[in-house]
């Protein structure tokens, strides 16, 4: 996958370095430092895929690497002066050589236009002893503005504390945008981000920087472990920390995938429940329409149209008025005559008790 890396460094006399030596090493060239007479010959070094110099308009003299960096050395008088600045860039392995060159050139031109400096770029292939995807570039710039007559005023934006962090942040963001544009142009889905995981809102612990010494020890130990038939494992403290971080990331990935699957299942169950509810609603509405239709068209009492709750035949309704039975009138007349005779024997009721 494409990775993001941009580091801003300085070439300073305070650490015993010179711009001429640094440019010779990065470009695989042979340059003489006119200030101290030392010859720096790196023509036999390998891994340098491409080099080029980008200069402001009218400063064609700076296309000569020896003239450019000797002028940078001559312009500084202090023993601790910063004689050059370097940008270390990681290049996407997903791009081919031509695409990587175009990407580095676009960055170099952006730095030239931003500060008015000369830019010396060297594109390096991955090291034989490291990751074979580690394509990278070293982009050296002058610390002074360059024009047709030589080097002029210092570019202080990256030297002053109040503005340096802002400048570096903008350069890092610009480089991320350029890398993503190149990946999109190459129809590569990968993207990079110059922000930390925390700033991106990603809950992932970053690995620690190994450093040259630890990385060399890990590579040697891995070769020995493979030769002995052992499973490779970290042997340095930094390597062990990164190994634990990678294992935690793997566990976190499975946990996250599990959460995603649970959400997917929940969504599926919710969709099925909604479909079932819709089907039940349609069934109930259809049954209600059938009942209303049966009540309207029935010739009887209307209940024949209703679905039976069981299979037993319905009982006949009991009439509300009792029908006259044979001989009932004669019996009623006989009872009335009996009451009248009894009343005649007892005499009229005058309201007094006996």
């Amino acid at each position: 996958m494409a990775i993001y890396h941009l580091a801003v460094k300085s070439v300073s006399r305070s650490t015993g370095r010179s711009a001429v030596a640094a440019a010779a090493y990065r470009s695989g060239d042979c340059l003489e430092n006119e200030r101290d007479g030392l010859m720096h010959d790196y023509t036999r070094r390998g891994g340098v895929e491409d080099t080029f110099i980008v200069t402001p308009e009218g400063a064609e003299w700076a296309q000569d690497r020896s003239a450019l960096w000797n002028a940078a050395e001559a312009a500084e008088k202090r023993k601790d002066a910063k004689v050059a600045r370097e940008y270390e860039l990681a290049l996407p392995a997903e791009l081919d050589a031509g695409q990587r060159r175009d990407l580095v050139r676009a960055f170099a031109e952006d730095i030239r236009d931003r500060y008015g400096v000369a830019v010396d770029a060297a594109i390096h292939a991955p090291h034989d002893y490291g990751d074979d995807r580690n394509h990278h570039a070293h982009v050296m710039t002058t610390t002074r503005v360059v024009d047709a007559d030589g080097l002029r005023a210092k570019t202080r934006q990256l030297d002053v504390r109040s503005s340096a962090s802002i400048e570096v942040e903008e350069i890092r963001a610009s480089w991320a945008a350029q890398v993503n544009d190149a990946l999109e142009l190459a129809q590569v889905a990968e993207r990079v981000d110059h922000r930390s995981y925390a700033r991106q809102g990603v809950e992932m612990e970053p690995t620690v920087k190994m450093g040259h010494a630890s990385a060399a020890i890990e590579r040697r130990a891995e070769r020995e472990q493979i030769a002995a038939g052992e499973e490779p494992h970290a042997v340095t403290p930094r390597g062990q920390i990164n190994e634990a971080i990678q294992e935690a990331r793997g566990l976190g990935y499975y946990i996250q995938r599990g959460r995603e699957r649970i959400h997917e299942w929940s969504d599926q169950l919710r969709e099925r429940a909604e479909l079932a509810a819709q089907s039940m609603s349609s069934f109930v509405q259809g049954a209600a329409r059938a009942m209303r239709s049966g009540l309207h068209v029935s010739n009887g009492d209307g209940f024949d149209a209703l679905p039976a709750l069981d299979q037993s035949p319905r009982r006949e309704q009991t009439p509300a008025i009792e029908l006259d039975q044979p001989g009932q009138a004669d019996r009623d007349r006989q009872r009335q005559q009996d009451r009248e005779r009894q009343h005649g024997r007892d005499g009229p009721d005058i309201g007094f008790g006996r």
Side-chain angles (χ1 to χ4, degrees):
M1 61 177 295
I3 62 171
Y4 181 90
H5 175 73
L6 184 151
V8 184
K9 305 177 181 180
S10 296
V11 179
S12 177
R13 287 178 182 167
S14 63
T15 57
R17 303 178 66 192
S18 74
V20 175
Y25 178 78
R26 280 148 182 73
S27 63
D29 205 347
C30 179
L31 301 177
E32 180 183 1
N33 188 346
E34 297 172 358
R35 181 170 175 270
D36 55 17
L38 294 177
M39 184 68 71
H40 302 280
D41 186 358
Y42 294 100
T43 54
R44 289 181 292 179
R45 70 156 297 178
V48 180
E49 292 186 339
D50 203 352
T51 63
F52 56 85
I53 296 176
V54 177
T55 62
E57 185 178 358
E60 286 75 14
W61 66 268
Q63 289 288 338
D64 184 322
R65 185 169 285 111
S66 178
L68 172 62
W69 294 115
N70 274 296
E73 287 286 348
E76 307 300 335
K77 306 303 180 184
R78 294 172 59 95
K79 64 179 181 180
D80 60 348
K82 294 179 181 179
V83 292
R85 187 166 284 112
E86 179 184 11
Y87 300 87
E88 186 179 81
L89 311 173
L91 306 179
E94 293 82 358
L95 304 180
D96 60 31
Q99 292 167 333
R100 290 193 294 269
R101 176 187 170 87
D102 292 342
L103 178 58
V104 176
R105 179 172 287 277
F107 177 81
E109 291 174 349
D110 183 54
I111 294 296
R112 175 201 62 189
D113 297 340
R114 188 181 185 93
Y115 299 114
V117 296
V119 184
D120 188 357
I123 300 174
H124 290 183
H127 300 296
D128 294 337
Y129 52 81
D131 193 333
D132 59 3
R133 299 168 297 177
N134 185 26
H135 296 273
H136 58 282
H138 298 272
V139 179
M140 289 183 59
T141 74
T142 58
T143 58
R144 292 178 178 271
V145 175
V146 177
D147 62 14
D149 298 322
L151 276 69
R152 299 304 179 187
K154 274 275 192 178
T155 56
R156 296 292 186 184
Q157 295 95 321
L158 290 170
D159 296 327
V160 180
R161 185 182 298 274
S162 59
S163 61
S165 60
I166 299 174
E167 290 290 321
V168 172
E169 175 67 16
E170 292 179 355
I171 292 172
R172 287 173 58 81
S174 176
W175 173 242
Q178 289 173 331
V179 171
N180 288 333
D181 288 344
L183 291 171
E184 182 178 4
L185 186 63
Q187 298 183 345
V188 177
E190 298 289 343
R191 294 294 182 268
V192 300
D193 197 315
H194 69 287
R195 298 170 300 170
S196 66
Y197 288 142
R199 290 175 60 189
Q200 294 179 50
V202 177
E203 295 181 358
M204 183 182 297
E205 184 178 1
T207 56
V208 298
K209 182 177 177 59
M210 290 292 294
H212 296 294
S214 295
I217 294 172
E218 291 292 350
R219 287 191 297 270
R220 184 172 62 251
E222 182 179 4
R223 289 193 297 268
E224 294 174 352
Q225 291 162 4
I226 293 175
E230 301 176 1
E231 183 177 352
H233 57 273
V235 295
T236 63
R238 290 176 179 269
Q240 291 169 351
I241 291 174
N242 286 340
E243 193 173 65
I245 291 173
Q246 294 292 351
E247 291 178 357
R249 284 183 181 179
L251 179 59
Y253 170 79
Y254 286 112
I255 293 175
Q256 181 62 28
R257 286 297 300 154
R259 289 174 178 171
E260 292 174 358
R261 289 298 297 166
I262 290 173
H263 288 311
E264 291 174 4
W265 293 333
S266 299
D267 293 339
Q268 292 174 1
L269 290 174
R270 188 180 302 109
E271 292 175 359
R272 293 178 181 177
E274 291 175 354
L275 290 174
Q278 293 174 2
S279 299
M280 180 60 69
S281 176
S282 300
F283 173 77
V284 172
Q285 292 174 2
R289 285 193 296 268
M291 292 170 64
R292 287 194 296 270
S293 176
L295 289 173
H296 286 305
V297 303
S298 175
N299 293 325
D301 56 9
F303 290 94
D304 293 333
L306 296 177
L309 297 179
D310 55 28
Q311 301 300 321
S312 60
R314 287 180 20 193
R315 297 177 180 176
E316 295 295 329
Q317 289 180 311
T318 304
I321 300 175
E322 185 177 352
L323 298 177
D324 187 19
Q325 300 296 326
Q328 182 66 36
D330 294 337
R331 288 192 293 273
D332 291 341
R333 284 192 296 271
Q334 184 63 40
R335 283 196 294 271
Q336 180 65 24
Q337 292 173 2
D338 293 341
R339 284 196 297 271
E340 289 176 355
R341 283 195 299 271
Q342 183 67 32
H343 180 71
R345 287 194 301 268
D346 296 339
D349 185 3
I350 60 176
F352 294 98
R354 296 179 179 177

